[in-house]
Amino acid sequence: MSLHTLPLPELDGAEVVVPAPGIGPGNWAGAATVTLVDDTFWLAYRIRRPLDAGRGLSTVVASSVDGVRFRTEAQVFRDQFGAESFERPVVLRRPDGGWRLYLSCATPGSKHWWIEALDADTPQGLPTGRRTVVLAGDDAVAVKDPVITERDGRWEMWVCEHPLTEPGQEDRMSTAYLTSDDGLVWQRHGTVLEPRPDAWDARGARVTTVLSHDPLVVLYDGRPRAEDNWHETTGVASAQDGALVADDSVPPLRSPHSDGALRYASAVPLPDGSTRFYVEVAREDGAHDLVTSLSRA
Protein backbone atom coordinates (compact mmCIF):
# COMPACT_ATOMS: atom_id res chain seq x y z
CA MET A 1 0.00 0.00 0.00
CA SER A 2 1.53 3.30 -1.08
CA LEU A 3 0.66 6.72 0.27
CA HIS A 4 -0.69 7.58 -3.17
CA THR A 5 -3.42 4.94 -2.78
CA LEU A 6 -3.86 5.21 0.99
CA PRO A 7 -7.52 5.47 2.02
CA LEU A 8 -8.13 8.13 4.68
CA PRO A 9 -11.21 9.42 6.52
CA GLU A 10 -12.86 12.40 4.86
CA LEU A 11 -15.27 14.88 6.41
CA ASP A 12 -16.66 16.20 3.13
CA GLY A 13 -19.89 14.29 2.68
CA ALA A 14 -19.56 12.46 6.01
CA GLU A 15 -22.83 11.28 7.56
CA VAL A 16 -23.70 11.21 11.25
CA VAL A 17 -24.15 7.65 12.50
CA VAL A 18 -24.69 8.43 16.20
CA PRO A 19 -25.09 12.03 17.37
CA ALA A 20 -23.60 13.24 20.64
CA PRO A 21 -25.90 12.59 23.63
CA GLY A 22 -26.07 16.31 24.42
CA ILE A 23 -24.87 19.78 23.51
CA GLY A 24 -21.41 21.07 24.36
CA PRO A 25 -17.98 19.73 25.35
CA GLY A 26 -17.80 16.34 27.06
CA ASN A 27 -20.88 14.98 25.29
CA TRP A 28 -19.44 12.36 22.97
CA ALA A 29 -20.67 9.47 20.86
CA GLY A 30 -17.83 7.46 19.39
CA ALA A 31 -14.66 5.58 20.38
CA ALA A 32 -16.14 3.09 17.93
CA THR A 33 -14.99 -0.07 16.23
CA VAL A 34 -16.81 -1.60 13.27
CA THR A 35 -16.50 -4.97 11.53
CA LEU A 36 -18.23 -6.44 8.48
CA VAL A 37 -19.72 -9.91 9.03
CA ASP A 38 -21.70 -11.62 6.25
CA ASP A 39 -22.59 -8.27 4.61
CA THR A 40 -23.73 -6.76 7.92
CA PHE A 41 -21.87 -3.96 9.67
CA TRP A 42 -21.42 -4.50 13.41
CA LEU A 43 -20.67 -1.41 15.47
CA ALA A 44 -19.59 -1.02 19.10
CA TYR A 45 -19.36 2.48 20.60
CA ARG A 46 -19.51 4.24 23.94
CA ILE A 47 -21.83 7.01 25.07
CA ARG A 48 -20.08 9.63 27.18
CA ARG A 49 -21.26 12.60 29.23
CA PRO A 50 -19.12 15.39 30.78
CA LEU A 51 -16.99 14.63 33.84
CA ASP A 52 -19.59 16.04 36.23
CA ALA A 53 -22.44 14.16 34.54
CA GLY A 54 -21.21 10.58 34.58
CA ARG A 55 -18.44 10.17 31.95
CA GLY A 56 -18.69 6.95 29.91
CA LEU A 57 -22.09 5.56 30.82
CA SER A 58 -22.62 2.62 28.47
CA THR A 59 -21.38 0.61 25.51
CA VAL A 60 -23.76 -0.08 22.63
CA VAL A 61 -23.63 -2.85 20.00
CA ALA A 62 -25.58 -2.11 16.81
CA SER A 63 -26.01 -3.55 13.31
CA SER A 64 -26.58 -2.12 9.84
CA VAL A 65 -26.97 -3.33 6.27
CA ASP A 66 -25.78 -0.07 4.68
CA GLY A 67 -23.15 1.04 7.20
CA VAL A 68 -24.97 4.30 7.96
CA ARG A 69 -28.29 3.52 9.64
CA PHE A 70 -27.80 1.28 12.67
CA ARG A 71 -30.17 -0.65 14.92
CA THR A 72 -29.26 -1.24 18.57
CA GLU A 73 -28.79 -4.94 19.36
CA ALA A 74 -27.38 -4.79 22.89
CA GLN A 75 -26.29 -2.32 25.55
CA VAL A 76 -23.94 -2.80 28.50
CA PHE A 77 -23.83 -0.38 31.43
CA ARG A 78 -20.72 0.47 33.43
CA ASP A 79 -22.40 -0.33 36.77
CA GLN A 80 -22.47 -4.01 35.76
CA PHE A 81 -18.67 -3.97 35.94
CA GLY A 82 -18.13 -1.64 38.86
CA ALA A 83 -16.48 0.74 36.42
CA GLU A 84 -16.35 4.50 36.76
CA SER A 85 -16.35 4.94 32.98
CA PHE A 86 -16.21 3.09 29.66
CA GLU A 87 -13.98 3.93 26.72
CA ARG A 88 -13.33 2.18 23.42
CA PRO A 89 -14.97 -1.26 22.91
CA VAL A 90 -14.43 -3.92 20.22
CA VAL A 91 -17.13 -6.25 18.90
CA LEU A 92 -16.36 -9.25 16.70
CA ARG A 93 -17.54 -12.71 15.75
CA ARG A 94 -15.29 -15.46 17.08
CA PRO A 95 -13.91 -18.14 14.73
CA ASP A 96 -16.30 -20.68 16.31
CA GLY A 97 -19.32 -18.54 15.39
CA GLY A 98 -19.92 -16.98 18.80
CA TRP A 99 -19.56 -13.29 19.61
CA ARG A 100 -17.23 -11.29 21.81
CA LEU A 101 -17.32 -7.74 23.15
CA TYR A 102 -14.18 -6.19 24.64
CA LEU A 103 -14.73 -3.34 27.11
CA SER A 104 -12.35 -0.63 28.34
CA CYS A 105 -13.18 -0.11 32.02
CA ALA A 106 -12.04 2.64 34.42
CA THR A 107 -11.25 1.75 38.02
CA PRO A 108 -13.22 4.07 40.34
CA GLY A 109 -11.24 6.75 42.13
CA SER A 110 -8.05 6.17 40.14
CA LYS A 111 -6.40 6.65 36.73
CA HIS A 112 -6.26 2.87 36.23
CA TRP A 113 -8.04 1.06 33.37
CA TRP A 114 -8.51 -2.62 32.56
CA ILE A 115 -9.92 -4.57 29.59
CA GLU A 116 -12.62 -7.19 30.01
CA ALA A 117 -14.36 -9.47 27.50
CA LEU A 118 -17.93 -10.72 27.24
CA ASP A 119 -18.63 -13.92 25.26
CA ALA A 120 -22.06 -15.06 24.07
CA ASP A 121 -23.67 -17.13 21.35
CA THR A 122 -25.39 -14.07 19.86
CA PRO A 123 -24.79 -10.31 19.88
CA GLN A 124 -28.04 -9.84 21.80
CA GLY A 125 -26.73 -12.13 24.54
CA LEU A 126 -23.53 -10.17 25.16
CA PRO A 127 -24.76 -8.13 28.18
CA THR A 128 -25.17 -11.37 30.18
CA GLY A 129 -22.30 -13.23 28.53
CA ARG A 130 -19.31 -14.96 30.11
CA ARG A 131 -16.87 -12.45 31.60
CA THR A 132 -13.08 -12.65 31.34
CA VAL A 133 -10.51 -10.06 32.38
CA VAL A 134 -8.10 -10.15 29.44
CA LEU A 135 -5.72 -7.36 30.49
CA ALA A 136 -5.75 -6.27 34.12
CA GLY A 137 -3.11 -3.55 34.05
CA ASP A 138 -1.34 -2.91 37.35
CA ASP A 139 -0.10 -0.15 39.64
CA ALA A 140 2.33 1.04 36.97
CA VAL A 141 0.20 0.99 33.81
CA ALA A 142 -3.39 1.44 32.69
CA VAL A 143 -4.62 -0.41 29.56
CA LYS A 144 -7.52 0.59 27.32
CA ASP A 145 -8.73 1.22 23.75
CA PRO A 146 -7.69 -2.05 22.10
CA VAL A 147 -7.46 -2.62 18.35
CA ILE A 148 -7.95 -6.35 17.73
CA THR A 149 -7.73 -8.50 14.61
CA GLU A 150 -8.07 -12.26 14.13
CA ARG A 151 -6.73 -14.00 11.02
CA ASP A 152 -6.31 -17.74 10.53
CA GLY A 153 -6.21 -18.44 14.25
CA ARG A 154 -3.76 -15.64 15.05
CA TRP A 155 -5.05 -12.87 17.26
CA GLU A 156 -3.28 -9.49 17.35
CA MET A 157 -3.84 -6.51 19.62
CA TRP A 158 -2.52 -2.97 19.66
CA VAL A 159 -3.38 -1.50 23.05
CA CYS A 160 -3.06 1.97 24.53
CA GLU A 161 -0.96 2.11 27.70
CA HIS A 162 -0.95 4.97 30.22
CA PRO A 163 1.95 5.05 32.72
CA LEU A 164 0.77 5.60 36.29
CA THR A 165 4.14 6.08 37.96
CA GLU A 166 4.09 9.91 38.00
CA PRO A 167 1.04 11.54 39.62
CA GLY A 168 -0.53 14.14 37.38
CA GLN A 169 1.10 12.72 34.25
CA GLU A 170 -1.22 9.79 33.67
CA ASP A 171 -2.63 11.18 30.41
CA ARG A 172 0.54 10.17 28.52
CA MET A 173 -0.01 7.26 26.15
CA SER A 174 1.87 4.83 23.93
CA THR A 175 0.92 1.65 22.06
CA ALA A 176 2.01 -1.93 22.83
CA TYR A 177 1.66 -5.00 20.59
CA LEU A 178 0.30 -8.34 21.83
CA THR A 179 -0.65 -11.72 20.36
CA SER A 180 -2.96 -14.53 21.49
CA ASP A 181 -4.15 -18.00 20.52
CA ASP A 182 -7.71 -17.40 21.69
CA GLY A 183 -8.20 -13.65 22.18
CA LEU A 184 -8.37 -14.06 25.96
CA VAL A 185 -4.83 -14.86 27.11
CA TRP A 186 -2.36 -12.40 25.62
CA GLN A 187 1.42 -12.14 25.34
CA ARG A 188 2.95 -8.66 25.25
CA HIS A 189 5.78 -8.10 22.75
CA GLY A 190 6.78 -4.57 23.70
CA THR A 191 5.99 -0.95 22.89
CA VAL A 192 5.67 -0.32 19.14
CA LEU A 193 4.51 3.32 18.91
CA GLU A 194 5.67 6.12 21.20
CA PRO A 195 5.20 9.89 21.46
CA ARG A 196 7.83 12.04 19.71
CA PRO A 197 9.31 15.06 21.49
CA ASP A 198 8.37 18.44 19.98
CA ALA A 199 5.98 16.84 17.47
CA TRP A 200 2.19 16.96 17.10
CA ASP A 201 2.08 13.60 18.95
CA ALA A 202 4.50 14.57 21.74
CA ARG A 203 2.06 13.67 24.54
CA GLY A 204 0.57 10.48 23.19
CA ALA A 205 0.38 7.99 20.33
CA ARG A 206 -2.49 5.46 20.25
CA VAL A 207 -3.10 3.06 17.33
CA THR A 208 -6.77 3.20 16.31
CA THR A 209 -7.15 1.04 13.19
CA VAL A 210 -5.18 -1.14 10.78
CA LEU A 211 -5.28 -0.02 7.14
CA SER A 212 -3.03 -2.78 5.81
CA HIS A 213 -1.36 -5.86 7.31
CA ASP A 214 1.23 -6.44 4.58
CA PRO A 215 2.83 -3.98 4.80
CA LEU A 216 1.53 -2.92 8.22
CA VAL A 217 0.03 0.58 8.00
CA VAL A 218 -2.10 2.06 10.79
CA LEU A 219 -3.93 5.21 11.76
CA TYR A 220 -3.24 6.54 15.24
CA ASP A 221 -4.38 9.27 17.62
CA GLY A 222 -1.92 11.84 18.90
CA ARG A 223 -1.77 15.10 20.78
CA PRO A 224 1.00 17.61 21.59
CA ARG A 225 0.08 18.64 25.16
CA ALA A 226 -1.68 17.37 28.25
CA GLU A 227 -4.27 20.11 27.70
CA ASP A 228 -5.23 18.39 24.45
CA ASN A 229 -6.41 15.24 26.22
CA TRP A 230 -9.68 14.06 24.60
CA HIS A 231 -8.99 16.31 21.58
CA GLU A 232 -6.68 13.98 19.62
CA THR A 233 -6.13 14.17 15.87
CA THR A 234 -5.28 11.33 13.46
CA GLY A 235 -1.98 10.45 11.81
CA VAL A 236 -0.46 7.61 9.78
CA ALA A 237 2.32 5.21 10.82
CA SER A 238 3.89 2.17 9.17
CA ALA A 239 6.07 -0.72 10.30
CA GLN A 240 9.84 -0.33 10.21
CA ASP A 241 12.27 -2.69 11.97
CA GLY A 242 9.63 -4.03 14.34
CA ALA A 243 8.19 -0.67 15.36
CA LEU A 244 5.63 1.75 13.98
CA VAL A 245 7.05 4.98 12.59
CA ALA A 246 4.98 8.11 11.97
CA ASP A 247 4.70 9.29 8.38
CA ASP A 248 4.80 13.08 8.44
CA SER A 249 4.11 13.35 4.71
CA VAL A 250 0.46 12.95 5.74
CA PRO A 251 -0.54 15.92 7.94
CA PRO A 252 -2.68 15.04 10.97
CA LEU A 253 -6.38 14.87 10.16
CA ARG A 254 -8.52 17.13 12.31
CA SER A 255 -12.00 18.59 12.57
CA PRO A 256 -12.37 22.22 11.47
CA HIS A 257 -14.63 22.82 14.48
CA SER A 258 -14.23 23.45 18.20
CA ASP A 259 -11.39 21.44 19.81
CA GLY A 260 -10.40 19.94 16.43
CA ALA A 261 -10.84 16.35 17.57
CA LEU A 262 -10.83 13.69 14.87
CA ARG A 263 -10.04 10.45 16.66
CA TYR A 264 -10.76 6.75 17.19
CA ALA A 265 -10.84 5.96 13.48
CA SER A 266 -12.11 2.52 12.45
CA ALA A 267 -11.58 1.32 8.87
CA VAL A 268 -13.80 -1.29 7.20
CA PRO A 269 -12.50 -2.60 3.83
CA LEU A 270 -15.37 -3.34 1.44
CA PRO A 271 -15.58 -5.98 -1.30
CA ASP A 272 -15.50 -3.35 -4.08
CA GLY A 273 -12.10 -2.08 -2.91
CA SER A 274 -13.39 1.01 -1.13
CA THR A 275 -13.07 1.65 2.61
CA ARG A 276 -15.78 2.86 4.95
CA PHE A 277 -14.41 4.88 7.85
CA TYR A 278 -15.97 5.65 11.21
CA VAL A 279 -14.50 8.44 13.33
CA GLU A 280 -15.36 10.52 16.38
CA VAL A 281 -15.30 14.15 15.30
CA ALA A 282 -15.79 17.51 17.04
CA ARG A 283 -18.68 19.70 15.94
CA GLU A 284 -19.15 23.46 16.36
CA ASP A 285 -20.65 23.31 19.88
CA GLY A 286 -17.80 21.17 21.23
CA ALA A 287 -19.73 17.90 21.35
CA HIS A 288 -18.44 14.89 19.37
CA ASP A 289 -20.52 12.92 16.87
CA LEU A 290 -19.75 9.50 15.43
CA VAL A 291 -19.64 9.94 11.65
CA THR A 292 -18.91 7.76 8.63
CA SER A 293 -17.42 8.42 5.21
CA LEU A 294 -16.58 6.32 2.15
CA SER A 295 -13.12 6.48 0.61
CA ARG A 296 -12.32 5.05 -2.82
CA ALA A 297 -8.60 5.98 -2.72
Side-chain angles (χ1 to χ4, degrees), residues 35 37 90-102 115-120 126 130 134-135 146-159 176-189 210 213 216:
T35 185
V37 179
V90 176
V91 65
L92 50 80
R93 187 168 67 179
R94 303 191 313 261
D96 65 3
W99 289 80
R100 180 172 294 157
L101 177 65
Y102 294 89
I115 297 173
E116 193 155 342
L118 288 171
D119 282 281
L126 286 168
R130 184 178 71 254
V134 296
L135 290 178
V147 174
I148 298 173
T149 64
E150 187 279 326
R151 297 183 298 154
D152 302 322
R154 176 180 172 84
W155 294 72
E156 296 179 290
M157 179 193 293
W158 292 264
V159 68
Y177 174 70
L178 301 86
T179 58
S180 173
D181 292 330
D182 61 4
L184 296 176
V185 179
W186 293 87
Q187 296 79 45
R188 187 182 185 277
H189 301 288
V210 175
H213 280 91
L216 180 61

Side-chain angles (χ1 to χ4, degrees), residues 266-297:
S266 182
V268 182
L270 301 181
D272 65 2
S274 62
T275 301
R276 180 165 288 283
F277 285 98
Y278 297 82
V279 65
E280 181 182 313
V281 61
R283 65 190 195 192
E284 291 183 0
D285 66 2
H288 294 180
D289 292 333
L290 175 62
V291 306
T292 187
S293 66
L294 193 64
S295 173
R296 301 188 181 278

Side-chain angles (χ1 to χ4, degrees), residues 139-172:
D139 291 341
V141 65
V143 288
K144 61 194 282 282
D145 302 335
V147 174
I148 298 173
T149 64
E150 187 279 326
R151 297 183 298 154
D152 302 322
R154 176 180 172 84
W155 294 72
E156 296 179 290
M157 179 193 293
W158 292 264
V159 68
C160 179
E161 296 185 335
H162 294 262
L164 305 178
T165 52
E166 295 182 43
Q169 306 297 313
E170 297 91 350
D171 68 284
R172 296 168 299 164

Side-chain angles (χ1 to χ4, degrees), residues 163-242:
L164 305 178
T165 52
E166 295 182 43
Q169 306 297 313
E170 297 91 350
D171 68 284
R172 296 168 299 164
M173 59 185 186
S174 59
T175 300
Y177 174 70
L178 301 86
T179 58
S180 173
D181 292 330
D182 61 4
L184 296 176
V185 179
W186 293 87
Q187 296 79 45
R188 187 182 185 277
H189 301 288
T191 301
V192 292
L193 183 64
E194 297 183 276
R196 298 175 297 160
D198 303 318
W200 68 272
D201 54 3
R203 194 67 179 180
R206 170 179 61 204
V207 169
T208 58
T209 196
V210 175
L211 295 181
S212 167
H213 280 91
D214 188 17
L216 180 61
V217 181
V218 304
L219 296 182
Y220 75 99
D221 287 347
R223 48 184 155 80
R225 307 171 303 163
E227 293 83 354
D228 299 308
N229 194 10
W230 309 315
H231 309 152
E232 292 83 9
T233 55
T234 294
V236 178
S238 58
Q240 295 183 27
D241 299 323

